[in-house]
Amino acid sequence: MQKPKVGISSCLLGQSVRYDGGHCHSSICTDTLQTHFQYIPFCPEVAAGFGTPRAPMNLVVNLSTPQLEYAENIEDYSGKAGVDLSGKLADGFLTKLDQAAELNSYITKSRSPSCGRGTTPLYTASTGLISETGSGLFISALVERYPQLPIVDETELEDRVILERFIADVTAYNSLRNKSNP
Ligand code: SF4
């Protein structure tokens, strides 16, 4: 039987797509989970044409709407002189959202302004300070389109109980889909 297709932030598989030209290889994803799933890797920032390496970006809360902005340096980020890149990022992942209909789950990179799920720092435009955490723009759009899709943050998988429940959830989601679309 074909393994369930699972979307994943490309950098977690060791692909050098991060803003600094590096990756965030997760051995849990490649060693423990790869036997259960067929991965469909995706990097929304590369898909949007930002290039690698690139300036780091942050999510800034501006009039209550998170938007993606370039920052020269994440530590010095003021939130005042940024350029809104949300539209450019969305243009890069729109087709991917349609293709995600084939997925049974998604594994996200923690804290990313594009891929994080509930862990991404949100900066306040007026002060440049972190006000709260939220989700990256790609993952927010994915959740909006597929609210039932099981999504997990890579750091959650370090908990054995969550890891095993995640495998069970994805397997159940996959069988439900197969029954609905024989
Ligand atoms: S946009 Fe997502 S996949 Fe790309 S480097 Fe950042 S966290 Fe990884």
Side-chain angles (χ1 to χ4, degrees):
M1 194 172 74
Q2 207 179 29
K3 294 178 189 172
K5 289 181 181 173
V6 169
I8 185 168
S9 302
S10 303
C11 55
L12 293 175
L13 296 183
Q15 296 182 14
S16 300
V17 292
R18 288 193 76 214
Y19 73 93
D20 59 1
H23 57 74
C24 304
H25 173 244
S26 159
S27 57
I28 293 176
C29 293
T30 56
D31 301 347
T32 311
L33 289 177
Q34 198 142 23
T35 54
H36 297 273
F37 306 141
Q38 177 189 346
Y39 283 137
I40 310 292
F42 181 62
C43 175
E45 293 177 13
V46 167
F50 289 119
T52 304
R54 54 190 174 274
M57 290 178 264
N58 287 313
L59 270 187
V60 176
V61 181
N62 198 340
L63 300 176
S64 303
T65 306
Q67 63 183 44
L68 195 67
E69 293 185 355
Y70 269 125
E72 289 300 317
N73 181 310
I74 198 161
E75 279 81 26
D76 296 341
Y77 183 61
S78 70
K80 291 175 186 165
V83 177
D84 183 5
L85 298 162
S86 312
K88 183 174 178 182
L89 187 84
D91 286 347
F93 66 60
L94 278 181
T95 306
K96 190 67 187 180
L97 278 186
D98 294 337
Q99 295 169 349
E102 67 174 357
L103 299 180
N104 298 283
S105 175
Y106 212 96
I107 302 175
T108 68
K109 168 71 186 76
S110 182
R111 297 176 60 84
S112 158
S114 304
C115 293
R117 197 207 64 164
T119 56
T120 305
L122 300 181
Y123 291 79
T124 304
S126 55
T127 64
L129 299 174
I130 297 174
S131 54
E132 55 187 316
T133 55
S135 293
L137 297 186
F138 169 62
I139 291 301
S140 293
L142 188 71
V143 170
E144 193 175 339
R145 177 79 75 90
Y146 306 101
Q148 307 300 326
L149 186 69
I151 297 180
V152 70
D153 183 283
E154 39 124 6
T155 57
E156 293 180 280
L157 295 172
E158 290 163 15
D159 182 319
R160 190 82 206 170
V161 174
I162 293 178
L163 178 76
E164 284 170 9
R165 194 171 63 215
F166 176 66
I167 294 170
D169 285 351
V170 175
T171 306
Y173 188 88
N174 187 39
S175 354
L176 195 65
R177 280 163 49 103
N178 288 341
K179 275 182 198 153
S180 313
N181 307 295

